[in-house]
Amino acid sequence: MEIINQQKATSRSDNGLLAVTHLTQLLHYCTGVGGFIVPLVLWLTTKDSVEGMNEHGKSIVNFQLSLLLYIIISVPGILLFGLGLLGFLFVGIIGFVMPIVNAVRAANGESPSKFMTISFIS
């Protein structure tokens, strides 16, 4: 009995794909949707074949869930002297800046920044 094609699946290094995955979070600002779904699909389909995709994908999902939690907390905060409006401003700025920072870090081969990110998925 002969075993044919017994090659181990190797992972490849693709920093460009990691950077694009981070930048797809900005689809919220362009289309209103897709800033969570597109990076999630990219992470789930390539986490085994691209080096670092599992770490970066988990970071993206944790960051998006954290932003959602901050928005939910900010809604009742509007009734408290308008502090929720500051929360919305904070989420808007952080949600725009951090994907760009993490895309640059991914393009340079560094691990993503965990600024204001709650670790839901470890």
Side-chain angles (χ1 to χ4, degrees):
M1 181 184 295
E2 184 179 339
I3 299 175
I4 299 174
N5 212 4
Q6 186 182 0
Q7 293 181 350
K8 182 181 176 186
T10 59
S11 60
R12 60 186 168 91
S13 177
D14 192 356
N15 292 343
L17 181 62
L18 294 175
V20 167
T21 305
H22 281 285
L23 291 176
T24 56
Q25 296 177 77
L26 299 177
L27 286 173
H28 282 305
Y29 295 99
C30 299
T31 63
V33 294
F36 180 73
I37 301 297
V38 174
L40 180 67
V41 169
L42 283 172
W43 169 51
L44 292 175
T45 57
T46 60
K47 69 180 178 180
D48 295 327
S49 61
V50 176
E51 285 182 27
M53 180 58 85
N54 199 25
E55 177 188 8
H56 285 271
K58 287 178 184 178
S59 172
I60 291 170
V61 171
N62 285 332
F63 181 68
Q64 289 296 318
L65 291 175
S66 297
L67 289 180
L68 179 65
L69 179 66
Y70 298 146
I71 288 172
I72 291 171
I73 291 172
S74 295
V75 169
I78 292 174
L79 300 174
L80 298 172
F81 307 111
L83 293 177
L85 296 176
L86 292 175
F88 283 131
L89 180 65
F90 172 76
V91 168
I93 292 171
I94 294 300
F96 186 77
V97 171
M98 289 311 295
I100 296 171
V101 169
N102 283 333
V104 171
R105 291 177 64 100
N108 292 333
E110 301 172 14
S111 61
S113 173
K114 307 260 195 256
F115 179 72
M116 296 300 294
T117 302
I118 301 169
S119 182
F120 294 103
I121 301 172
S122 57

